[in-house]
Every structure is written in C-alpha cells, then in structure tokens.
Amino acid sequence: MATNLRSTTFNSGPSSTEADDEGVQGTCEDASICKRFAVSIGYWDDPYLQHLVRLSKERKAPEINRGYFARVHGISELIKAFLRKTECHCQILNLGAGMDTTFWILKDQDLLPDKYFEVDFPLIVTRKVHSIRSRPHLSKPILELHSEDTLQGDGHMLDSKRYALIGADLRDLATLEEKLKKCNMNTQLPTLLVTECVLVYMTPEQAAAALPAPVSLPVK
Ligand SMILES: C[S@@+](CC[C@H](N)C(=O)[O-])C[C@H]1O[C@@H](n2cnc3c(N)ncnc32)[C@H](O)[C@@H]1O
C-alpha cells in the first residue's frame, strides 16, 4: 500500500529521545495532509477534515492518493462490520488517532458506538482539542449527544457522553489505563481497537505491550 511513512530512527535502548518522539508526532501531519489532499480532489468525502487540517499547496502523487484511499476505505469497512455485528452496542478505541474524523462521519451515518475513544500524544491532542472547541462543525455533533452544554476536560483531554479524546503516550500503559478509566471506558463491552499506521512507530515489544492494555482494565 502506498503510504509516505516518515523515516524515523529509533533509539536502540529502552527509552526514546524527544527527537524520536517529535519525528513520530510529525507523522500525524504527514498522514492528515495526504488525506486532506486526496479528499480535496474527490477520492472520498470527508466534510470534517478541513476543520482539522490545512490544505497543502503541494500535489501528491496518484500512488499516494490511491494508497490513502485504500487505507481509509479498508479501515472504514472493518469498523462498520464491527458496528453491524454488535448492533452498535460497543466501543471503539482508536490508538494514535491523529486528526482522524471517523467519529463525526459515523454520527452522520447513525452508526455510532456507545462511546468512541481516541488517544494520541498530548501535543497532538492539544491541537485537536483546540480545533474541536473553536469550530462548531466539530463541537456541535459532540454536544448534541452530550448531557451538558459544555465539554469536559482540559488542554490535553476532552470527555463527553459518546466521545473522548485523550492525550497519553501509548508506551506509558499505567497512565493510559488511568485516563481511559476516568473517561468511563466499559471493559464489559465489545471494543474494537484501531491502530491505523501507528504500531510501526513503536518497537515490537512496545507495540505488543500497548495492545492488551485497555482489555486489562478492571471490570467496573
Ligand atoms: C502515521 S500517524 C497516523 C494517524 C492516524 N491513525 C491516521 O491514520 O491518520 C501515527 C500517529 O500515531 C501517533 N503515535 C505514535 N506513537 C505514539 C505513542 N507512543 N503514543 C501516542 N501516540 C502515538 C502519532 O502521534 C501519530 O498521530
């Protein structure tokens, strides 16, 4: 599949450097700009991405556009299959979500799970929280499903009845579990984990450790 994976050099040791993390965080920009460009020339519809991502002046190669189309379409079909199978009585946990807009698109299609969670580095989440809070096109759909007039949370987090956006490092499992719990993740519901082009930026050990973390949350 054609993607433009940013080449990031990882430390061989157990801890990453800030420079490694900055490179990985930059992949959010790469992916979202490629998706925004593909949407702008009609590869698929996404009326929400324009509120989160600027349009790049630079054209992308057809291979890149087609690769992103296949990636977005494939993930979307898998998510819808899970939602149909569970009759939407489930949760979706999107790890390394970046500027993903699936929550808003599923709402338009009347296909929302009980709760949709997104996690990314605090720096990325802060940007997304700011865009959501300042753009009614993004905040209104969340508020329509919420029981209060304002969205809870701070710069690194946003929580509502059906949507939560959490700033956390996927390699820091204790903090991730604590934040998911605070946002009322229900460990008894079927939960789909989405990691779209994310685990590749972690060592195999870190990726393997991150995956079962939400499942190991104590049952409420
Ligand atoms: C290539 S981007 C993909 C973004 C989104 N899933 C998509 O497909 O548009 C990889 C994302 O994973 C996030 N990510 C990678 N490692 C992470 C970690 N250890 N903790 C939190 N987020 C991480 C990055 O910040 C970035 O947003």
Side-chain angles (χ1 to χ4, degrees):
M1 182 184 303
T3 56
N4 63 338
L5 289 183
R6 186 177 278 243
S7 58
T8 303
T9 320
F10 292 104
N11 263 0
S12 51
S15 62
S16 61
T17 65
E18 272 179 33
D20 286 341
D21 287 356
E22 275 172 27
V24 173
Q25 286 158 8
T27 66
C28 169
E29 176 109 339
D30 293 342
S32 48
I33 284 183
C34 287
K35 287 182 179 179
R36 174 86 160 89
F37 182 78
V39 167
S40 78
I41 56 171
Y43 273 82
W44 69 93
D45 285 330
D46 185 338
Y48 299 102
L49 200 56
Q50 61 184 310
H51 302 295
L52 289 164
V53 184
R54 69 186 165 85
L55 182 59
S56 160
K57 290 192 186 104
E58 183 199 332
R59 288 187 70 81
K60 304 290 175 191
E63 293 86 345
I64 297 285
N65 298 324
R66 290 173 190 183
Y68 274 96
F69 169 79
R71 171 168 149 183
V72 170
H73 183 69
I75 299 248
S76 160
E77 287 302 300
L78 289 171
I79 288 177
K80 284 190 209 155
F82 183 78
L83 287 163
R84 280 193 290 268
K85 188 155 188 154
T86 56
E87 296 177 342
C88 294
H89 192 41
C90 64
Q91 299 169 129
I92 294 177
L93 173 56
N94 191 332
L95 300 175
M99 297 299 138
D100 193 90
T101 53
T102 303
F103 166 81
W104 290 270
I105 289 170
L106 289 178
K107 180 176 184 295
D108 283 349
Q109 296 173 344
D110 209 10
L111 264 179
L112 272 184
D114 285 341
K115 191 152 179 175
Y116 192 102
F117 299 82
E118 293 186 332
V119 181
D120 209 299
F121 279 115
L123 189 91
I124 303 289
V125 164
T126 300
R127 274 177 40 204
K128 197 166 184 177
V129 167
H130 176 75
S131 297
I132 292 172
R133 287 192 183 279
S134 58
R135 314 261 158 107
H137 281 99
L138 299 173
S139 56
K140 223 172 133 228
I142 301 174
L143 283 166
E144 276 169 13
L145 301 164
H146 195 44
S147 44
E148 296 162 30
D149 291 342
T150 51
L151 298 171
Q152 295 155 18
D154 51 26
H156 303 311
M157 201 182 93
L158 190 151
D159 191 25
S160 72
K161 196 164 173 226
R162 306 286 292 277
Y163 173 77
L165 175 56
I166 297 169
D169 186 331
L170 299 174
R171 296 161 300 187
D172 177 0
L173 302 182
T175 308
L176 174 59
E177 288 191 4
E178 188 191 309
K179 291 186 176 180
L180 287 170
K181 216 167 138 188
K182 208 167 158 195
C183 292
N184 297 318
M185 166 159 265
N186 181 347
T187 53
Q188 291 187 310
L189 276 183
T191 300
L192 179 68
L193 286 182
V194 179
T195 59
E196 182 185 341
C197 207
V198 175
L199 301 180
V200 70
Y201 298 109
M202 299 165 78
T203 65
E205 293 76 22
Q206 289 165 345
L211 285 182
V215 183
S216 70
L217 280 172
V219 174
K220 282 181 82 184

